[in-house]
Amino acid sequence: MIISDKQELRRCVKQLVRRAEVCEASLDFDVSGGEIGVEAMLDTWAHPAAMPDEALRRATAEHTPFDPDAAAMFAALDAMDLPVRDLDRAQAMVAEYERPAYLREVLDTMRARCVLVCVPMEKATRFEDDRLEPLLVASGDLFVPGRYGVDYAGAARKLVDCAQACGAGNLLMEHFDAQALRYCLLPLCQDNGYALHVQLRSCEEIDRFALLLDEFDGVRALAGAQASCELHLIDAAAQRMRLLVCLSDCAHMSAALGTLGTRFVAYSAQAKLPEQMLGRWLLARESIWQALANAYLPLARSGYTLDTAAIERDVRRLLGDNLMALCRPETL
């Protein structure tokens, strides 16, 4: 269907973003034993108390809870039809679920297509839900020098063993280390077809990583950066088709679209809890559709014909397909 005016454009983008299946790039949570439920969510922003309602009362007695994790908690509770105003009852309702069923409910409500879950090497086991994809964490302890320097070959062997144990095809570098990248992680990814995930903290780290990636043909990488240097990362990825950017700030979506087209990941919750991930995604969708609609406006005003099929394709790529192509290329 052809989009004929600004309001119709905004409605179309809003509906498509709200309904889209999404892929999450990093959930740092112990699927088998991590704390879940209302008390775990409260602990992200409020002081503990004997009961959830008491913790909420104390946290909101003197001020409105503007903490982003509070908003994520309330959004998640509301989306899962759990009572927002009666947290003791909400906790009791969560307790009625078996753990796997509750986690499935979170993923269903989020419309999750795939979630990359950080897996420490010492807990390298497989997941039952096929929407969960292991993201094996290459611990900084692997690269601590011994008497004869760093054993990069030994570190690579350990990572391969752990990747095989949990079925991982994606590696996360815990801390940026140029030597570990050059002598272990990049060759390892090149030889085994793993995708490499990194979080970069400065423009210098972005430049060093980009140049190292250029040296290793075939290695696919997902990189995130702090908001202050995210535009630099976008520029670095412009001529590097194997470098996929994961945005941390929707304010940079227009710049990313202008430089990369739709070849980037629009959002990652970077959550510590599954419910926190759900809540952050619910809130992020509202920022994403508004930023995307605003990015379409100059095209619409210039007379370019926009239609729902093209917008749906763009949304699917930004929220799912691009990350799926990196972490599960065999499924596309």
Side-chain angles (χ1 to χ4, degrees), residues 149-195:
V150 178
D151 182 8
Y152 292 114
R157 288 192 294 271
K158 290 177 183 177
L159 285 167
V160 169
D161 289 344
C162 291
Q164 291 175 346
C166 65
N170 295 264
L171 301 183
L172 171 64
M173 186 174 199
E174 188 174 45
H175 304 294
F176 183 84
D177 181 334
Q179 296 293 94
L181 281 166
R182 180 184 293 279
Y183 297 112
C184 180
L185 295 176
L186 285 167
L188 181 64
C189 290
Q190 187 178 54
D191 291 344
N192 293 274
Y194 302 146

Side-chain angles (χ1 to χ4, degrees), residues 41 44-45 67-78 275-283:
M41 286 188 276
T44 65
W45 65 278
D67 190 300
D69 285 332
M73 183 191 82
F74 293 125
L77 290 171
D78 184 60
E275 304 97 332
Q276 185 185 53
M277 173 181 66
L278 165 61
R280 287 181 180 181
W281 262 107
L282 289 166
L283 298 172

Side-chain angles (χ1 to χ4, degrees), residues 33-55:
E35 292 294 325
I36 56 175
V38 177
E39 290 182 350
M41 286 188 276
L42 275 167
D43 286 347
T44 65
W45 65 278
H47 294 298
M51 296 296 289
D53 274 338
E54 177 63 16

Side-chain angles (χ1 to χ4, degrees), residues 14-309:
K14 176 166 63 174
Q15 289 176 359
L16 288 172
V17 170
R18 284 181 173 178
R19 295 173 182 173
E21 289 187 319
V22 299
C23 294
E24 168 55 42
S26 178
L27 172 63
D28 188 7
F29 175 73
D30 180 356
V31 171
S32 63
E35 292 294 325
I36 56 175
V38 177
E39 290 182 350
M41 286 188 276
L42 275 167
D43 286 347
T44 65
W45 65 278
H47 294 298
M51 296 296 289
D53 274 338
E54 177 63 16
L56 180 64
R57 187 191 66 76
R58 292 179 183 178
T60 61
E62 297 183 359
H63 60 81
T64 302
F66 290 112
D67 190 300
D69 285 332
M73 183 191 82
F74 293 125
L77 290 171
D78 184 60
M80 296 179 71
D81 293 324
L82 296 170
V84 175
R85 297 180 181 275
D86 187 348
L87 296 190
D88 290 350
R89 180 165 167 258
Q91 178 75 355
M93 291 171 68
V94 171
E96 294 177 0
Y97 282 90
E98 292 186 358
R99 183 184 185 86
Y102 180 74
L103 293 176
R104 284 197 301 272
E105 181 69 19
V106 172
L107 296 177
D108 290 345
T109 306
M110 181 177 141
R111 297 177 185 261
R113 182 177 172 191
C114 177
V115 175
L116 284 153
V117 182
C118 298
V119 176
M121 294 175 64
E122 64 274 14
K123 295 185 178 181
T125 57
R126 295 177 183 265
F127 299 126
E128 294 183 6
D129 193 311
D130 60 9
R131 288 172 293 183
L132 301 179
E133 180 76 21
L135 177 58
L136 184 62
V137 180
S139 168
D141 294 342
L142 280 173
F143 310 114
V144 174
R147 182 172 182 177
Y148 299 103
V150 178
D151 182 8
Y152 292 114
R157 288 192 294 271
K158 290 177 183 177
L159 285 167
V160 169
D161 289 344
C162 291
Q164 291 175 346
C166 65
N170 295 264
L171 301 183
L172 171 64
M173 186 174 199
E174 188 174 45
H175 304 294
F176 183 84
D177 181 334
Q179 296 293 94
L181 281 166
R182 180 184 293 279
Y183 297 112
C184 180
L185 295 176
L186 285 167
L188 181 64
C189 290
Q190 187 178 54
D191 291 344
N192 293 274
Y194 302 146
L196 181 62
H197 297 239
V198 295
Q199 193 68 27
L200 304 167
R201 299 167 295 179
S202 67
C203 292
E204 180 186 2
E205 286 188 358
I206 291 169
D207 290 339
R208 294 177 73 187
F209 179 73
L211 292 174
L212 281 167
L213 186 64
D214 291 343
E215 297 180 24
F216 292 85
D217 294 339
V219 177
R220 297 163 292 119
L222 178 74
Q226 294 182 353
S228 59
C229 54
E230 195 163 70
L231 294 176
H232 192 76
L233 177 59
I234 291 169
D235 289 339
Q239 302 303 319
R240 294 178 170 90
M241 299 302 293
R242 294 182 287 110
L243 178 55
L244 187 64
V245 173
C246 184
L247 293 187
S248 65
D249 191 344
C250 287
H252 294 152
M253 184 170 289
S254 179
L257 289 165
T259 302
L260 303 172
T262 55
R263 188 176 58 84
F264 64 94
V265 175
Y267 180 71
S268 173
Q270 303 285 317
K272 301 287 187 182
L273 299 171
E275 304 97 332
Q276 185 185 53
M277 173 181 66
L278 165 61
R280 287 181 180 181
W281 262 107
L282 289 166
L283 298 172
R285 286 180 192 262
E286 299 306 300
S287 298
I288 290 168
W289 81 253
Q290 293 177 60
L292 189 56
N294 289 337
Y296 282 122
L297 283 177
L299 277 174
R301 289 169 178 159
S302 70
Y304 181 83
T305 300
L306 289 166
D307 61 70
T308 54

